[in-house]
Amino acid sequence: MCAKGFGQSQPTKIDKLVESAVRYCHKRQPEALDKIFDNLPVKLNQQVVTGILAAFQKDIDTLSWFCGYMASEINRTQDNQKPHHPIAELSKTLITSGMEPFIDFMPYPGCRLVILNSEKFESLPESIQAIVQQAFDIRESSSEEAHRINNALLQELTVTQD
């Protein structure tokens, strides 16, 4: 008789979703990720993203790709064949410079990055700051303005069922 899993906790739904999402990121399959994210409530999506970030702490290439995916730069598998992904490349530069995605900077749909930790960004070498400023339109906003923009973007991302 096989005692498979006896005495061991079974993977939760989130564990299984994170495992699938991690596999899809490794395989660079945005359509498969869409199937996960499009069918979950926001709270579960956040848990899946947290799991993905934990899984890719040491894998900067895949983490950068994921940032490009989250910013809508990579929507289809064919997009992986493009030679240039500015958001993914910039994300990689920021990560290798010590910034953490979803903590210090945030990819948003519409090929946007938002710097959340301006102090940490300003402490980066001037050459890195120059790369960011050359690549993107930089706008400073107050915390209230950033919060308003955040809420508006969250509304764009929230799917309601009728």
Side-chain angles (χ1 to χ4, degrees), residues 20-40:
S20 294
V22 166
R23 185 173 55 253
Y24 297 148
C25 287
H26 276 296
K27 292 181 178 182
R28 307 295 200 259
Q29 296 177 325
E31 298 91 345
L33 286 172
D34 287 345
K35 289 179 183 175
I36 291 174
F37 290 121
D38 290 349
N39 293 307
L40 292 176

Side-chain angles (χ1 to χ4, degrees), residues 27-87:
K27 292 181 178 182
R28 307 295 200 259
Q29 296 177 325
E31 298 91 345
L33 286 172
D34 287 345
K35 289 179 183 175
I36 291 174
F37 290 121
D38 290 349
N39 293 307
L40 292 176
V42 173
K43 184 176 180 180
L44 292 180
N45 275 340
Q46 291 171 339
Q47 291 175 337
V48 172
V49 169
T50 299
I52 290 170
L53 296 175
F56 295 133
Q57 282 184 335
K58 304 277 189 227
D59 186 350
I60 294 173
D61 289 329
T62 304
L63 186 55
S64 301
W65 179 89
F66 181 67
C67 288
Y69 164 78
M70 292 299 288
S72 302
E73 180 175 64
I74 302 166
N75 295 307
R76 300 173 301 142
T77 301
Q78 295 89 331
D79 292 340
N80 292 316
Q81 305 310 313
K82 293 179 182 176
H84 187 63
H85 295 105
I87 296 288

Side-chain angles (χ1 to χ4, degrees), residues 129-147:
Q129 291 180 43
I131 290 169
V132 174
Q133 292 169 353
Q134 288 172 359
F136 294 95
D137 177 27
I138 305 294
R139 282 184 244 143
E140 283 193 41
S141 50
S142 67
S143 60
E144 294 82 18
E145 177 71 8
H147 187 65

Side-chain angles (χ1 to χ4, degrees), residues 84-100:
H84 187 63
H85 295 105
I87 296 288
E89 290 172 14
L90 182 57
S91 295
K92 186 174 187 174
T93 299
L94 293 173
I95 294 166
T96 56
S97 298
M99 294 190 78
E100 295 181 56

